[in-house]
Amino acid sequence: MDDAIPELLDHGPGFSEAPLPLFDAPPPQEELFARLRLARSRRVGPATFRRLIAAHGDAVAALTALPGLAAAAGDTSYAPATEAEIRREIRAAKAAGARLLTLGAPGYPHRLAQVGDAPPVLWCQGDPKLLTRRSVAVVGTRNASSLALRMARALGRALSEAGVTVVSGLARGVDTAAHTAALDGGTVAVHAGGLDRVYPAENAELGTAIAATGCALSERPFGLHPTARDFPRRNRIVSGVAQAVVVVEAAARSGSMITARDALDQGREVMAVPGHPFDTRASGCNLLLRDGATLVRGAEDVLDLLDGLMRDAPPRPAPEPVAEATAPAPTDGDATVLRARILSLLSPVPVGEDQLRRDLAPGGEADARAVAAQLSELELAGEIARRPGGSLVRL
């Protein structure tokens, strides 16, 4: 472990110098190792990761407390990810020339850090400074029409020539066309699986080229082949690192529409290329336009929107301090009652955490720290889970 991590973390220029309130300095080596191990532990999602760090001060202490928290929630056999697993992951990353970026530390993409379910860790290959430029996600169907491919290529080429980073998910069809056209100017590919498991396999050469001349990102471990649930997770990163999302061609029920919904949830601009009403591949784009998305006829429309965002953007506020007003710690009886009430209010239908706190205290809002502590325990125990966007369901 002594020489495993420092070379993997980039503290160079080009990223936001204002870390999230959770961390106020580049973490030391032991802390980096612990963060990666914490992020890889069972049932520790982005929200639980943040809460554990906030409650215990750092990942080293959070890992120590994790088995006890799980036992208190009813899982007496819980164990965090092993050190051997993390060392294997780091060795694979070093072999691939990847660096580790951790949430809240210098080096993590500042736009993605503002997303509520931002991944705790990212592996990065290539030039991470591409993430600090103006960025637009270009997404669309895998089974793209000839016109859609032409539009994706035109957008990728023109935007990259204008100094805009083109972000996409490395899928076949629209993603491939946009990435290929933007290679010379700078493109970012977000992988659904590990960085060494390019999907689809036909894009292996393109993935290698992007890692060499652009930037490749993944929150998943090296060696992991993507499964169906990994693609929606990837989509939130595609939209999260960008300022706007352009949907070139997409059916009403498609992964690109999931990306568009993620973008709306994240406060990003959503744009769409219109399509013929009889072409089901364009039905999603037409729905987005009906509901207020900005119409795209070419790169000029996208650049105009970005210029407007730059003019209208307020100064980035300074990070708020972590410290909260102290309150009496709940007793065991209080915690048991709160836990039971949370479970009684949750169901398989997703509910936002803010709404849950209001439901727990009609006419007001339940104590955020007490609720957060119980949610972390319930998530570790496998009794509840988070869905994309941070909503909660009972399992």
Side-chain angles (χ1 to χ4, degrees), residues 307-364:
D307 289 342
L309 291 178
M310 293 296 290
R311 287 193 300 269
D312 299 339
R316 189 181 302 165
E320 297 180 2
V322 163
E324 300 178 6
T326 57
T331 66
D332 289 343
D334 293 337
T336 301
V337 171
L338 179 58
R339 178 191 180 95
R341 291 182 63 206
I342 290 172
L343 289 174
S344 71
L345 288 169
L346 292 178
S347 74
V349 179
V351 174
E353 186 172 333
D354 289 344
Q355 181 61 51
L356 175 64
R357 288 205 302 268
R358 288 192 291 270
D359 292 341
L360 286 166

Side-chain angles (χ1 to χ4, degrees), residues 16-231:
S16 166
E17 295 300 323
L20 289 183
L22 294 177
F23 313 118
D24 59 5
Q29 174 187 340
E30 184 183 17
E31 176 67 10
L32 283 176
F33 190 89
R35 288 188 199 175
L36 183 57
R37 189 179 170 201
L38 183 64
R40 297 295 185 238
S41 296
R42 284 187 302 126
R43 307 194 199 109
V44 177
T48 299
F49 180 92
R50 285 174 179 257
R51 286 174 177 150
L52 289 170
I53 295 289
H56 298 281
D58 57 37
V60 175
L63 275 170
T64 302
L66 195 52
L69 292 171
D75 186 351
T76 56
S77 62
Y78 186 92
T82 68
E83 292 191 7
E85 292 170 334
I86 302 307
R87 290 196 184 98
R88 282 196 297 270
E89 183 173 347
I90 291 173
R91 284 196 295 269
K94 289 178 70 175
R99 69 199 74 188
L100 181 67
L101 310 178
T102 61
L103 179 64
Y108 194 92
H110 68 271
R111 277 188 289 265
L112 184 59
Q114 297 162 7
V115 174
D117 57 351
V121 296
L122 287 169
W123 287 113
C124 172
Q125 288 174 309
D127 183 5
K129 289 191 292 294
L130 288 172
L131 295 162
T132 68
R133 306 192 314 183
R134 295 187 300 169
S135 299
V136 171
V138 178
V139 300
T141 182
R142 291 170 171 81
N143 181 31
S145 67
S146 176
L147 286 174
L149 293 175
R150 285 169 55 189
M151 175 59 86
R153 284 192 288 267
L155 288 172
R157 185 178 305 108
L159 290 173
S160 64
E161 288 175 351
V164 176
T165 298
V166 174
V167 184
S168 201
L170 203 60
R172 62 173 60 94
V174 167
D175 291 21
T176 296
H179 279 310
T180 302
L183 263 178
D184 290 340
T187 185
V188 172
V190 183
H191 291 237
L195 288 177
D196 58 341
R197 295 293 184 265
V198 175
Y199 183 90
E202 67 202 54
N203 275 348
E205 187 174 341
L206 176 59
T208 299
I210 293 173
T213 65
C215 179
L217 293 176
S218 178
E219 67 174 319
R220 307 298 281 153
F222 279 81
L224 185 137
H225 291 275
T227 61
R229 68 176 184 173
D230 291 314
F231 293 97

